Amino acid sequence: MFNEEQYQLATYKKMPIAAERGEDVWIYTSDGDKYLDLYGGHAVAGTGHCHPHVVKAVQEQAGKLLFYSNLVYSQARARAAEKLVSIAPNPLSKVFFCNSGTEANENAMRMARMSTRREKIITFSGGFHGRTADAISATFLGKYRALGKPNVPGHVEAEFGNINSVGELADDTVAAIMLEPIQSMAGVRMAQPDFYRQLRELCDERGIVLIYDEVQTGVGRTGDWFFAGSKTGANVVPEIVTLAKALGSGVPVGACLVTDAIASHIKENDLGTTFGGGMVAMAAVTATLEAIENDSMLANVKRVEAYLRRRLEEVEQVKAVHGLGFLLGIEFKDKAAPVHQALLDQKIITGTSSDARVLRLLPPLSLQEQHVDLLVKALG
Ligand SMILES: Cc1ncc(COP(=O)(O)O)c(C=O)c1O
């Protein structure tokens, strides 16, 4: 399709559609077709495609100043940082902006090492944290870690949901425990609330930094702003939360939210990136958070999630629905890949996962009941 395959490395498995235009939960293709997007381009379209408030903010900023680095002050950057911190649970009080999820995780691990003067990092079976060297070395899901060989030393694997397996590894050489609080790619797996509470206690006891990779769960996806500090997560707040994906509604941006205690260890020039905190990305961040607030999307996620779960009970082939808010894994009695294809044939985009029976939904936070009805009808 077009010349992508001729001129690009063949590293992505693609759906046979060419996206040309987007509006809310809809993607319009070059062929004039219209698809219901329940995948949001890898969980990026949190505010939906081309939310007018975000588009306006990005357009206005682009006309004023596309970019200047962190060598100068910027009102756009200050506003985005203030807004993001204002919605973060206490005691997260400072932000570092970067450009992607993997970069946010690299910086989070670096800050943990700097603040503890230790090196080891514990992550979990089934976790995915990105593809740059340190993040891929922290990724124990499937084949990814091997792709990053030679791996960064000092990464060890605990069993997700099993506090004893973490306790055995958590000695005084461990800088951080990092986890996706809901493991998305693994098939949308959650632990019991006790697990998060026990992790917090273990970290407090042994001087270890707790990092939540909220690249997927953050920015409203679960129906709360973050999994950190949420009731479902036993109100646990880690020292560092990493964000990307939906944070800029499609404009690339990542962030680490940190406590004052972590911030106190970070000195001038310890971290940095040219594009982090660029003005267009910052305008997108502020407008994204405002759009979620203005349109009451958090409440919408909770309401429509409940409806979706109810309606999916009517579908005979559905065995269980995993996850929270709009990060949902539909577990089928048989393989999910044919369902993914059949839905695509009916012009509905969903996602697969590394669990062959689980279909993932990561729709815009604006999804409504009538869109759920379209999905249920198509599944039927
Ligand atoms: C939980 C999680 N962490 C990190 C990443 C890496 O983010 P990025 O692709 O922006 O580097 C991803 C990407 O899928 C992710 O799902």
Side-chain angles (χ1 to χ4, degrees), residues 104 122 141 174 227 235 261 276-277 286 298 315 329 361 369:
I122 299 176
L141 175 72
V174 173
F227 189 86
N235 302 310
T286 306
L298 300 184
V315 182
L361 304 184
E369 282 87 345

Side-chain angles (χ1 to χ4, degrees), residues 100-103 105 128-130 180 185 213 215-216 244-245:
S100 66
T102 197
E103 198 189 345
N105 288 335
F128 181 86
H129 300 292
E180 285 179 86
M185 295 246 286
D213 173 344
V215 167
Q216 289 216 17
K245 298 233 189 246

Side-chain angles (χ1 to χ4, degrees), residues 96-100 103-104 107 243 252-256 273 275-277 282:
F96 173 74
F97 285 114
C98 54
N99 310 288
S100 66
E103 198 189 345
N107 283 289
L243 303 169
V253 59
C256 299
T273 157
F275 286 119
M282 296 297 98

Side-chain angles (χ1 to χ4, degrees), residues 57-372:
V58 168
Q59 280 175 339
E60 281 177 8
Q61 183 58 53
K64 282 199 285 194
L65 181 61
L66 283 174
F67 180 78
Y68 207 92
S69 70
N70 288 280
L71 276 182
V72 300
Y73 287 93
S74 145
Q75 191 182 25
R77 191 182 301 126
R79 281 184 70 205
E82 184 178 358
K83 184 74 195 161
L84 188 53
V85 167
S86 79
I87 57 162
N90 273 331
L92 298 170
S93 58
K94 288 223 158 39
V95 61
F96 173 74
F97 285 114
C98 54
N99 310 288
S100 66
T102 197
E103 198 189 345
N105 288 335
E106 297 267 331
N107 283 289
M109 290 188 280
R110 193 165 298 169
M111 282 190 268
R113 293 190 184 106
M114 284 172 170
S115 61
T116 58
R117 296 174 188 274
R118 302 172 181 178
E119 289 194 353
K120 215 182 266 176
I121 309 279
I122 299 176
T123 50
F124 291 90
S125 52
F128 181 86
H129 300 292
R131 289 174 183 260
T132 48
D134 213 5
I136 209 166
S137 302
T139 292
F140 287 100
L141 175 72
K143 63 181 190 311
Y144 292 102
R145 194 163 193 272
L147 295 173
K149 282 193 168 172
N151 291 127
V152 174
H155 286 277
V156 288
E157 176 186 13
E159 189 188 328
F160 187 63
N162 178 349
I163 196 68
N164 293 333
S165 83
V166 190
E168 282 164 17
L169 297 169
D171 61 23
D172 64 6
T173 64
V174 173
I177 298 174
M178 180 166 79
L179 64 151
E180 285 179 86
I182 304 174
Q183 293 190 330
S184 179
M185 295 246 286
V188 191
R189 303 195 312 174
M190 273 176 84
Q192 294 299 320
D194 259 1
F195 179 65
Y196 306 102
R197 191 180 45 72
Q198 288 164 335
L199 279 180
R200 181 66 277 173
E201 285 167 8
L202 189 72
C203 286
D204 289 342
E205 228 172 74
R206 305 192 188 178
I208 296 171
V209 173
L210 186 60
I211 303 172
Y212 277 7
D213 173 344
E214 294 223 43
V215 167
Q216 289 216 17
T217 56
V219 200
R221 181 145 303 280
T222 61
D224 290 301
W225 279 117
F226 307 100
F227 189 86
S230 71
K231 212 166 140 207
T232 324
N235 302 310
V236 165
V237 182
E239 280 86 357
I240 307 179
V241 167
T242 62
L243 303 169
K245 298 233 189 246
L247 183 58
S249 293
V251 178
V253 59
C256 299
L257 276 165
V258 308
T259 60
D260 273 340
I262 296 290
S264 69
H265 292 276
I266 309 303
K267 303 180 304 302
E268 196 176 301
N269 218 21
D270 277 352
L271 310 174
T273 157
T274 297
F275 286 119
M279 285 71 188
V280 172
M282 296 297 98
V285 168
T286 306
T288 294
L289 302 178
E290 287 171 348
I292 292 172
E293 236 166 32
N294 296 345
D295 297 359
S296 305
M297 288 192 205
L298 300 184
N300 185 68
V301 170
K302 289 192 171 156
R303 192 188 78 246
V304 179
E305 176 201 2
Y307 181 72
L308 180 51
R309 284 178 179 276
R310 264 201 322 276
R311 292 293 327 267
L312 285 173
E313 282 172 14
E314 296 165 22
V315 182
E316 206 210 308
Q317 287 305 311
V318 172
K319 193 172 158 205
V321 179
H322 304 285
L324 188 63
F326 283 174
L327 169 48
L328 293 176
I330 308 178
E331 183 181 340
F332 288 91
K333 292 177 182 160
D334 291 312
K335 287 204 159 52
V339 184
H340 177 258
Q341 184 55 50
L343 288 174
L344 198 60
D345 293 343
Q346 297 186 63
K347 305 205 168 12
I348 298 179
I349 305 174
T350 56
T352 53
S353 76
S354 68
D355 183 329
R357 284 174 314 175
V358 173
L359 192 75
R360 269 188 308 163
L361 304 184
L362 294 145
L365 311 185
S366 54
L367 191 80
Q368 297 296 310
E369 282 87 345
Q370 73 259 28
H371 307 129
V372 172

